[in-house]
Amino acid sequence: MNDKKKNVVKVAHQLFIEKGFQSTSIQDILDVSGISKGTFYKYFSSKNELFITLFKMIIKEVETNRNELLIGEELFNIEIFIKQIELQMKLNHMNKLVRLFEEVHFSKDKDLKHLVNAWQMNETTWLYNRFIDLFGTDKKAYLLDCAVMFSGILHYNIRYYYKIYGPQADLDYVVRYSVERIRKTVHEIAESQQQLFHPDIIKEWIAENENKMQDFQEELYNNVMLLKSDLSNLEGHIQYIELLDFILDEFQHSMSPRRFLIDSALLSLEAADGLFKKEEIERLRKLIEVHLS
């Protein structure tokens, strides 16, 4: 990401914090960042796509810093885990992530909701795996329950602590207090041998998402190859070959396919009168729209 694009994301982030995501318009972002509308749409297809880029940048920063704390340390050291959580909560607070999440919750945009839901599942999976490091494989059957509980305990403890004592309150104390509560709870649940969530649901969720992606990739590839076969003179229609290859590449090698560029490529293919069968182009568009919905 070039510096100019990073600045647009930074400006938008500040506006989202000050005015709220829903109340911030693209024109607001243009006015503060000083870029043209054309430049904005070169970088992002919409305000939602900009939000997704911002969200992924924040999450990447959290994950990188969190993982760096483990370098040269024992995985079972609970003090390192406390530092990881403290760091994550401070970064979340600094970036006003909870406020942004709440706006997404009331949004009707499926892409944004899916992004947040996927992140929440990933964070729960991370906690579950860290709890295995901390409390041992003998308690593994109960640690997904504990990961879910800890998320709730931590979230509400911080929320009410800030309400009562203000935003400058001692976050480290809240984190340590919450970790101590869950440490005792882990042993109580393991002794009771009662279980709410079976850890296998994590594997099922991951497998389900991987299978869906694999099925989509295979169907997309077959559709693109079928459209290529419609071109009797490949050399004379190289621009359409490049458009089809671009669409395939966006979904195979990009974590965040650029929808506005994909739509533009599809429009160009649809405008190629007589080169493709109408039902094949329609099938490709429907496949992509269902996947991105």
Side-chain angles (χ1 to χ4, degrees), residues 137-166:
T137 55
D138 59 315
K139 297 181 178 65
K140 189 174 180 179
Y142 313 103
L143 293 180
L144 180 56
D145 288 1
C146 295
V148 173
M149 285 186 220
F150 179 70
S151 295
I153 290 169
L154 184 63
H155 173 74
Y156 281 100
N157 278 350
I158 290 174
R159 170 171 284 195
Y160 283 99
Y161 204 76
Y162 279 159
K163 279 187 177 181
I164 295 169
Y165 299 108

PDB file of all heavy atoms in Angstrom, residues 137-166:
ATOM      1  N   THR A 137      -3.272 -30.023  27.694  1.00  0.00           N
ATOM      2  CA  THR A 137      -4.163 -30.782  26.803  1.00  0.00           C
ATOM      3  C   THR A 137      -5.176 -31.630  27.578  1.00  0.00           C
ATOM      4  O   THR A 137      -6.201 -32.025  27.018  1.00  0.00           O
ATOM      5  CB  THR A 137      -3.348 -31.701  25.874  1.00  0.00           C
ATOM      6  OG1 THR A 137      -2.492 -32.534  26.669  1.00  0.00           O
ATOM      7  CG2 THR A 137      -2.487 -30.891  24.918  1.00  0.00           C
ATOM      8  N   ASP A 138      -4.899 -31.922  28.846  1.00  0.00           N
ATOM      9  CA  ASP A 138      -5.830 -32.735  29.618  1.00  0.00           C
ATOM     10  C   ASP A 138      -7.158 -32.001  29.869  1.00  0.00           C
ATOM     11  O   ASP A 138      -8.182 -32.636  30.150  1.00  0.00           O
ATOM     12  CB  ASP A 138      -5.210 -33.160  30.961  1.00  0.00           C
ATOM     13  CG  ASP A 138      -4.797 -31.979  31.815  1.00  0.00           C
ATOM     14  OD1 ASP A 138      -4.181 -31.038  31.259  1.00  0.00           O
ATOM     15  OD2 ASP A 138      -5.095 -31.968  33.025  1.00  0.00           O
ATOM     16  N   LYS A 139      -7.145 -30.676  29.740  1.00  0.00           N
ATOM     17  CA  LYS A 139      -8.373 -29.882  29.928  1.00  0.00           C
ATOM     18  C   LYS A 139      -8.941 -29.389  28.591  1.00  0.00           C
ATOM     19  O   LYS A 139      -9.871 -28.571  28.554  1.00  0.00           O
ATOM     20  CB  LYS A 139      -8.096 -28.688  30.839  1.00  0.00           C
ATOM     21  CG  LYS A 139      -7.673 -29.080  32.259  1.00  0.00           C
ATOM     22  CD  LYS A 139      -7.435 -27.842  33.105  1.00  0.00           C
ATOM     23  CE  LYS A 139      -7.052 -28.217  34.523  1.00  0.00           C
ATOM     24  NZ  LYS A 139      -5.752 -28.918  34.591  1.00  0.00           N
ATOM     25  N   LYS A 140      -8.391 -29.878  27.497  1.00  0.00           N
ATOM     26  CA  LYS A 140      -8.716 -29.406  26.156  1.00  0.00           C
ATOM     27  C   LYS A 140     -10.216 -29.424  25.858  1.00  0.00           C
ATOM     28  O   LYS A 140     -10.744 -28.515  25.215  1.00  0.00           O
ATOM     29  CB  LYS A 140      -7.977 -30.268  25.130  1.00  0.00           C
ATOM     30  CG  LYS A 140      -8.040 -29.780  23.711  1.00  0.00           C
ATOM     31  CD  LYS A 140      -7.139 -30.647  22.824  1.00  0.00           C
ATOM     32  CE  LYS A 140      -7.174 -30.170  21.385  1.00  0.00           C
ATOM     33  NZ  LYS A 140      -6.275 -31.005  20.535  1.00  0.00           N
ATOM     34  N   ALA A 141     -10.912 -30.445  26.338  1.00  0.00           N
ATOM     35  CA  ALA A 141     -12.337 -30.598  26.033  1.00  0.00           C
ATOM     36  C   ALA A 141     -13.180 -29.442  26.562  1.00  0.00           C
ATOM     37  O   ALA A 141     -14.280 -29.195  26.072  1.00  0.00           O
ATOM     38  CB  ALA A 141     -12.850 -31.913  26.606  1.00  0.00           C
ATOM     39  N   TYR A 142     -12.667 -28.717  27.570  1.00  0.00           N
ATOM     40  CA  TYR A 142     -13.457 -27.669  28.221  1.00  0.00           C
ATOM     41  C   TYR A 142     -12.953 -26.249  27.911  1.00  0.00           C
ATOM     42  O   TYR A 142     -13.535 -25.268  28.375  1.00  0.00           O
ATOM     43  CB  TYR A 142     -13.443 -27.888  29.741  1.00  0.00           C
ATOM     44  CG  TYR A 142     -13.726 -29.319  30.118  1.00  0.00           C
ATOM     45  CD1 TYR A 142     -12.691 -30.173  30.505  1.00  0.00           C
ATOM     46  CD2 TYR A 142     -15.022 -29.837  30.034  1.00  0.00           C
ATOM     47  CE1 TYR A 142     -12.948 -31.504  30.813  1.00  0.00           C
ATOM     48  CE2 TYR A 142     -15.277 -31.166  30.343  1.00  0.00           C
ATOM     49  CZ  TYR A 142     -14.235 -31.996  30.730  1.00  0.00           C
ATOM     50  OH  TYR A 142     -14.487 -33.318  31.026  1.00  0.00           O
ATOM     51  N   LEU A 143     -11.885 -26.182  27.126  1.00  0.00           N
ATOM     52  CA  LEU A 143     -11.227 -24.886  26.953  1.00  0.00           C
ATOM     53  C   LEU A 143     -11.899 -23.979  25.925  1.00  0.00           C
ATOM     54  O   LEU A 143     -11.703 -22.762  25.964  1.00  0.00           O
ATOM     55  CB  LEU A 143      -9.743 -25.089  26.604  1.00  0.00           C
ATOM     56  CG  LEU A 143      -8.919 -25.708  27.749  1.00  0.00           C
ATOM     57  CD1 LEU A 143      -7.463 -25.866  27.330  1.00  0.00           C
ATOM     58  CD2 LEU A 143      -9.016 -24.863  29.021  1.00  0.00           C
ATOM     59  N   LEU A 144     -12.683 -24.533  25.012  1.00  0.00           N
ATOM     60  CA  LEU A 144     -13.449 -23.658  24.125  1.00  0.00           C
ATOM     61  C   LEU A 144     -14.530 -22.937  24.926  1.00  0.00           C
ATOM     62  O   LEU A 144     -14.766 -21.739  24.727  1.00  0.00           O
ATOM     63  CB  LEU A 144     -14.070 -24.447  22.974  1.00  0.00           C
ATOM     64  CG  LEU A 144     -14.890 -23.608  21.979  1.00  0.00           C
ATOM     65  CD1 LEU A 144     -14.058 -22.466  21.398  1.00  0.00           C
ATOM     66  CD2 LEU A 144     -15.444 -24.475  20.856  1.00  0.00           C
ATOM     67  N   ASP A 145     -15.188 -23.669  25.833  1.00  0.00           N
ATOM     68  CA  ASP A 145     -16.158 -23.029  26.734  1.00  0.00           C
ATOM     69  C   ASP A 145     -15.497 -21.866  27.477  1.00  0.00           C
ATOM     70  O   ASP A 145     -16.060 -20.773  27.602  1.00  0.00           O
ATOM     71  CB  ASP A 145     -16.668 -24.033  27.775  1.00  0.00           C
ATOM     72  CG  ASP A 145     -17.614 -25.069  27.181  1.00  0.00           C
ATOM     73  OD1 ASP A 145     -17.857 -25.012  25.954  1.00  0.00           O
ATOM     74  OD2 ASP A 145     -18.090 -25.926  27.932  1.00  0.00           O
ATOM     75  N   CYS A 146     -14.289 -22.117  27.991  1.00  0.00           N
ATOM     76  CA  CYS A 146     -13.578 -21.118  28.784  1.00  0.00           C
ATOM     77  C   CYS A 146     -13.158 -19.920  27.931  1.00  0.00           C
ATOM     78  O   CYS A 146     -13.177 -18.778  28.404  1.00  0.00           O
ATOM     79  CB  CYS A 146     -12.358 -21.754  29.447  1.00  0.00           C
ATOM     80  SG  CYS A 146     -12.799 -23.035  30.659  1.00  0.00           S
ATOM     81  N   ALA A 147     -12.789 -20.185  26.677  1.00  0.00           N
ATOM     82  CA  ALA A 147     -12.412 -19.092  25.772  1.00  0.00           C
ATOM     83  C   ALA A 147     -13.597 -18.175  25.515  1.00  0.00           C
ATOM     84  O   ALA A 147     -13.467 -16.941  25.522  1.00  0.00           O
ATOM     85  CB  ALA A 147     -11.883 -19.663  24.456  1.00  0.00           C
ATOM     86  N   VAL A 148     -14.776 -18.763  25.315  1.00  0.00           N
ATOM     87  CA  VAL A 148     -15.992 -17.973  25.090  1.00  0.00           C
ATOM     88  C   VAL A 148     -16.332 -17.167  26.348  1.00  0.00           C
ATOM     89  O   VAL A 148     -16.659 -15.977  26.272  1.00  0.00           O
ATOM     90  CB  VAL A 148     -17.167 -18.897  24.701  1.00  0.00           C
ATOM     91  CG1 VAL A 148     -18.474 -18.103  24.643  1.00  0.00           C
ATOM     92  CG2 VAL A 148     -16.897 -19.570  23.354  1.00  0.00           C
ATOM     93  N   MET A 149     -16.243 -17.818  27.507  1.00  0.00           N
ATOM     94  CA  MET A 149     -16.532 -17.120  28.771  1.00  0.00           C
ATOM     95  C   MET A 149     -15.573 -15.967  29.005  1.00  0.00           C
ATOM     96  O   MET A 149     -15.977 -14.873  29.414  1.00  0.00           O
ATOM     97  CB  MET A 149     -16.418 -18.099  29.942  1.00  0.00           C
ATOM     98  CG  MET A 149     -17.569 -19.056  30.080  1.00  0.00           C
ATOM     99  SD  MET A 149     -17.376 -20.018  31.595  1.00  0.00           S
ATOM    100  CE  MET A 149     -17.897 -21.614  31.016  1.00  0.00           C
ATOM    101  N   PHE A 150     -14.288 -16.218  28.749  1.00  0.00           N
ATOM    102  CA  PHE A 150     -13.285 -15.187  28.992  1.00  0.00           C
ATOM    103  C   PHE A 150     -13.540 -13.955  28.124  1.00  0.00           C
ATOM    104  O   PHE A 150     -13.394 -12.819  28.587  1.00  0.00           O
ATOM    105  CB  PHE A 150     -11.880 -15.736  28.723  1.00  0.00           C
ATOM    106  CG  PHE A 150     -10.795 -14.720  28.926  1.00  0.00           C
ATOM    107  CD1 PHE A 150     -10.480 -14.267  30.200  1.00  0.00           C
ATOM    108  CD2 PHE A 150     -10.088 -14.207  27.845  1.00  0.00           C
ATOM    109  CE1 PHE A 150      -9.485 -13.311  30.396  1.00  0.00           C
ATOM    110  CE2 PHE A 150      -9.095 -13.255  28.032  1.00  0.00           C
ATOM    111  CZ  PHE A 150      -8.790 -12.811  29.313  1.00  0.00           C
ATOM    112  N   SER A 151     -13.923 -14.182  26.870  1.00  0.00           N
ATOM    113  CA  SER A 151     -14.229 -13.052  25.979  1.00  0.00           C
ATOM    114  C   SER A 151     -15.321 -12.180  26.572  1.00  0.00           C
ATOM    115  O   SER A 151     -15.231 -10.942  26.578  1.00  0.00           O
ATOM    116  CB  SER A 151     -14.658 -13.558  24.599  1.00  0.00           C
ATOM    117  OG  SER A 151     -13.608 -14.230  23.951  1.00  0.00           O
ATOM    118  N   GLY A 152     -16.385 -12.824  27.082  1.00  0.00           N
ATOM    119  CA  GLY A 152     -17.495 -12.081  27.684  1.00  0.00           C
ATOM    120  C   GLY A 152     -17.090 -11.374  28.964  1.00  0.00           C
ATOM    121  O   GLY A 152     -17.425 -10.199  29.175  1.00  0.00           O
ATOM    122  N   ILE A 153     -16.361 -12.087  29.829  1.00  0.00           N
ATOM    123  CA  ILE A 153     -15.909 -11.506  31.102  1.00  0.00           C
ATOM    124  C   ILE A 153     -15.054 -10.273  30.847  1.00  0.00           C
ATOM    125  O   ILE A 153     -15.266  -9.202  31.432  1.00  0.00           O
ATOM    126  CB  ILE A 153     -15.107 -12.552  31.910  1.00  0.00           C
ATOM    127  CG1 ILE A 153     -16.027 -13.658  32.430  1.00  0.00           C
ATOM    128  CG2 ILE A 153     -14.359 -11.885  33.070  1.00  0.00           C
ATOM    129  CD1 ILE A 153     -15.284 -14.846  33.012  1.00  0.00           C
ATOM    130  N   LEU A 154     -14.076 -10.418  29.957  1.00  0.00           N
ATOM    131  CA  LEU A 154     -13.147  -9.325  29.679  1.00  0.00           C
ATOM    132  C   LEU A 154     -13.866  -8.123  29.062  1.00  0.00           C
ATOM    133  O   LEU A 154     -13.666  -6.980  29.484  1.00  0.00           O
ATOM    134  CB  LEU A 154     -12.044  -9.822  28.736  1.00  0.00           C
ATOM    135  CG  LEU A 154     -10.920  -8.843  28.412  1.00  0.00           C
ATOM    136  CD1 LEU A 154     -10.142  -8.485  29.677  1.00  0.00           C
ATOM    137  CD2 LEU A 154      -9.985  -9.421  27.355  1.00  0.00           C
ATOM    138  N   HIS A 155     -14.726  -8.398  28.078  1.00  0.00           N
ATOM    139  CA  HIS A 155     -15.420  -7.321  27.376  1.00  0.00           C
ATOM    140  C   HIS A 155     -16.271  -6.494  28.333  1.00  0.00           C
ATOM    141  O   HIS A 155     -16.186  -5.253  28.344  1.00  0.00           O
ATOM    142  CB  HIS A 155     -16.304  -7.914  26.276  1.00  0.00           C
ATOM    143  CG  HIS A 155     -17.183  -6.909  25.599  1.00  0.00           C
ATOM    144  ND1 HIS A 155     -16.693  -5.975  24.703  1.00  0.00           N
ATOM    145  CD2 HIS A 155     -18.522  -6.662  25.695  1.00  0.00           C
ATOM    146  CE1 HIS A 155     -17.687  -5.219  24.277  1.00  0.00           C
ATOM    147  NE2 HIS A 155     -18.810  -5.610  24.857  1.00  0.00           N
ATOM    148  N   TYR A 156     -17.061  -7.145  29.157  1.00  0.00           N
ATOM    149  CA  TYR A 156     -17.969  -6.406  30.041  1.00  0.00           C
ATOM    150  C   TYR A 156     -17.249  -5.810  31.250  1.00  0.00           C
ATOM    151  O   TYR A 156     -17.638  -4.741  31.733  1.00  0.00           O
ATOM    152  CB  TYR A 156     -19.132  -7.299  30.463  1.00  0.00           C
ATOM    153  CG  TYR A 156     -20.171  -7.399  29.376  1.00  0.00           C
ATOM    154  CD1 TYR A 156     -20.223  -8.508  28.546  1.00  0.00           C
ATOM    155  CD2 TYR A 156     -21.056  -6.356  29.138  1.00  0.00           C
ATOM    156  CE1 TYR A 156     -21.166  -8.585  27.514  1.00  0.00           C
ATOM    157  CE2 TYR A 156     -21.987  -6.417  28.125  1.00  0.00           C
ATOM    158  CZ  TYR A 156     -22.039  -7.525  27.314  1.00  0.00           C
ATOM    159  OH  TYR A 156     -22.938  -7.587  26.288  1.00  0.00           O
ATOM    160  N   ASN A 157     -16.208  -6.480  31.730  1.00  0.00           N
ATOM    161  CA  ASN A 157     -15.424  -5.877  32.811  1.00  0.00           C
ATOM    162  C   ASN A 157     -14.815  -4.555  32.366  1.00  0.00           C
ATOM    163  O   ASN A 157     -14.850  -3.552  33.090  1.00  0.00           O
ATOM    164  CB  ASN A 157     -14.317  -6.830  33.262  1.00  0.00           C
ATOM    165  CG  ASN A 157     -14.816  -7.881  34.226  1.00  0.00           C
ATOM    166  OD1 ASN A 157     -15.939  -7.805  34.718  1.00  0.00           O
ATOM    167  ND2 ASN A 157     -14.000  -8.884  34.509  1.00  0.00           N
ATOM    168  N   ILE A 158     -14.239  -4.548  31.160  1.00  0.00           N
ATOM    169  CA  ILE A 158     -13.619  -3.318  30.638  1.00  0.00           C
ATOM    170  C   ILE A 158     -14.678  -2.250  30.396  1.00  0.00           C
ATOM    171  O   ILE A 158     -14.499  -1.075  30.751  1.00  0.00           O
ATOM    172  CB  ILE A 158     -12.842  -3.623  29.338  1.00  0.00           C
ATOM    173  CG1 ILE A 158     -11.586  -4.445  29.653  1.00  0.00           C
ATOM    174  CG2 ILE A 158     -12.457  -2.324  28.623  1.00  0.00           C
ATOM    175  CD1 ILE A 158     -10.832  -4.917  28.433  1.00  0.00           C
ATOM    176  N   ARG A 159     -15.791  -2.639  29.795  1.00  0.00           N
ATOM    177  CA  ARG A 159     -16.846  -1.658  29.483  1.00  0.00           C
ATOM    178  C   ARG A 159     -17.333  -0.954  30.750  1.00  0.00           C
ATOM    179  O   ARG A 159     -17.421   0.281  30.789  1.00  0.00           O
ATOM    180  CB  ARG A 159     -18.012  -2.364  28.783  1.00  0.00           C
ATOM    181  CG  ARG A 159     -19.242  -1.486  28.647  1.00  0.00           C
ATOM    182  CD  ARG A 159     -20.297  -2.108  27.779  1.00  0.00           C
ATOM    183  NE  ARG A 159     -19.952  -2.014  26.376  1.00  0.00           N
ATOM    184  CZ  ARG A 159     -20.819  -2.211  25.382  1.00  0.00           C
ATOM    185  NH1 ARG A 159     -22.068  -2.496  25.650  1.00  0.00           N
ATOM    186  NH2 ARG A 159     -20.442  -2.116  24.132  1.00  0.00           N
ATOM    187  N   TYR A 160     -17.655  -1.721  31.802  1.00  0.00           N
ATOM    188  CA  TYR A 160     -18.200  -1.106  33.016  1.00  0.00           C
ATOM    189  C   TYR A 160     -17.119  -0.405  33.838  1.00  0.00           C
ATOM    190  O   TYR A 160     -17.390   0.591  34.507  1.00  0.00           O
ATOM    191  CB  TYR A 160     -18.935  -2.153  33.849  1.00  0.00           C
ATOM    192  CG  TYR A 160     -20.300  -2.467  33.278  1.00  0.00           C
ATOM    193  CD1 TYR A 160     -20.504  -3.597  32.487  1.00  0.00           C
ATOM    194  CD2 TYR A 160     -21.376  -1.619  33.494  1.00  0.00           C
ATOM    195  CE1 TYR A 160     -21.756  -3.870  31.938  1.00  0.00           C
ATOM    196  CE2 TYR A 160     -22.621  -1.877  32.954  1.00  0.00           C
ATOM    197  CZ  TYR A 160     -22.804  -3.005  32.180  1.00  0.00           C
ATOM    198  OH  TYR A 160     -24.033  -3.262  31.627  1.00  0.00           O
ATOM    199  N   TYR A 161     -15.893  -0.910  33.765  1.00  0.00           N
ATOM    200  CA  TYR A 161     -14.798  -0.257  34.488  1.00  0.00           C
ATOM    201  C   TYR A 161     -14.556   1.139  33.933  1.00  0.00           C
ATOM    202  O   TYR A 161     -14.360   2.110  34.677  1.00  0.00           O
ATOM    203  CB  TYR A 161     -13.533  -1.111  34.378  1.00  0.00           C
ATOM    204  CG  TYR A 161     -12.535  -0.880  35.483  1.00  0.00           C
ATOM    205  CD1 TYR A 161     -12.743  -1.393  36.763  1.00  0.00           C
ATOM    206  CD2 TYR A 161     -11.365  -0.154  35.258  1.00  0.00           C
ATOM    207  CE1 TYR A 161     -11.821  -1.187  37.785  1.00  0.00           C
ATOM    208  CE2 TYR A 161     -10.437   0.053  36.266  1.00  0.00           C
ATOM    209  CZ  TYR A 161     -10.677  -0.467  37.527  1.00  0.00           C
ATOM    210  OH  TYR A 161      -9.764  -0.259  38.544  1.00  0.00           O
ATOM    211  N   TYR A 162     -14.589   1.252  32.596  1.00  0.00           N
ATOM    212  CA  TYR A 162     -14.422   2.563  31.952  1.00  0.00           C
ATOM    213  C   TYR A 162     -15.591   3.495  32.272  1.00  0.00           C
ATOM    214  O   TYR A 162     -15.414   4.702  32.452  1.00  0.00           O
ATOM    215  CB  TYR A 162     -14.288   2.402  30.436  1.00  0.00           C
ATOM    216  CG  TYR A 162     -12.901   2.020  29.967  1.00  0.00           C
ATOM    217  CD1 TYR A 162     -12.708   1.424  28.726  1.00  0.00           C
ATOM    218  CD2 TYR A 162     -11.781   2.262  30.747  1.00  0.00           C
ATOM    219  CE1 TYR A 162     -11.438   1.070  28.276  1.00  0.00           C
ATOM    220  CE2 TYR A 162     -10.513   1.917  30.321  1.00  0.00           C
ATOM    221  CZ  TYR A 162     -10.344   1.325  29.078  1.00  0.00           C
ATOM    222  OH  TYR A 162      -9.087   0.997  28.660  1.00  0.00           O
ATOM    223  N   LYS A 163     -16.809   2.918  32.305  1.00  0.00           N
ATOM    224  CA  LYS A 163     -17.980   3.749  32.622  1.00  0.00           C
ATOM    225  C   LYS A 163     -17.885   4.336  34.027  1.00  0.00           C
ATOM    226  O   LYS A 163     -18.255   5.485  34.267  1.00  0.00           O
ATOM    227  CB  LYS A 163     -19.264   2.913  32.502  1.00  0.00           C
ATOM    228  CG  LYS A 163     -19.779   2.763  31.079  1.00  0.00           C
ATOM    229  CD  LYS A 163     -21.121   2.073  31.074  1.00  0.00           C
ATOM    230  CE  LYS A 163     -21.684   1.986  29.661  1.00  0.00           C
ATOM    231  NZ  LYS A 163     -23.018   1.330  29.628  1.00  0.00           N
ATOM    232  N   ILE A 164     -17.397   3.533  34.956  1.00  0.00           N
ATOM    233  CA  ILE A 164     -17.351   3.965  36.353  1.00  0.00           C
ATOM    234  C   ILE A 164     -16.138   4.842  36.643  1.00  0.00           C
ATOM    235  O   ILE A 164     -16.244   5.879  37.305  1.00  0.00           O
ATOM    236  CB  ILE A 164     -17.362   2.734  37.280  1.00  0.00           C
ATOM    237  CG1 ILE A 164     -18.696   1.987  37.133  1.00  0.00           C
ATOM    238  CG2 ILE A 164     -17.120   3.136  38.730  1.00  0.00           C
ATOM    239  CD1 ILE A 164     -18.728   0.625  37.793  1.00  0.00           C
ATOM    240  N   TYR A 165     -14.970   4.429  36.119  1.00  0.00           N
ATOM    241  CA  TYR A 165     -13.722   5.118  36.481  1.00  0.00           C
ATOM    242  C   TYR A 165     -13.144   5.992  35.372  1.00  0.00           C
ATOM    243  O   TYR A 165     -12.124   6.653  35.582  1.00  0.00           O
ATOM    244  CB  TYR A 165     -12.674   4.094  36.929  1.00  0.00           C
ATOM    245  CG  TYR A 165     -13.099   3.316  38.142  1.00  0.00           C
ATOM    246  CD1 TYR A 165     -13.468   1.973  38.053  1.00  0.00           C
ATOM    247  CD2 TYR A 165     -13.160   3.937  39.397  1.00  0.00           C
ATOM    248  CE1 TYR A 165     -13.875   1.256  39.169  1.00  0.00           C
ATOM    249  CE2 TYR A 165     -13.561   3.227  40.527  1.00  0.00           C
ATOM    250  CZ  TYR A 165     -13.923   1.881  40.399  1.00  0.00           C
ATOM    251  OH  TYR A 165     -14.321   1.197  41.515  1.00  0.00           O
ATOM    252  N   GLY A 166     -13.794   5.988  34.200  1.00  0.00           N
ATOM    253  CA  GLY A 166     -13.331   6.850  33.122  1.00  0.00           C
ATOM    254  C   GLY A 166     -12.328   6.180  32.206  1.00  0.00           C
ATOM    255  O   GLY A 166     -11.757   5.129  32.539  1.00  0.00           O
TER     256      GLY A 166
END
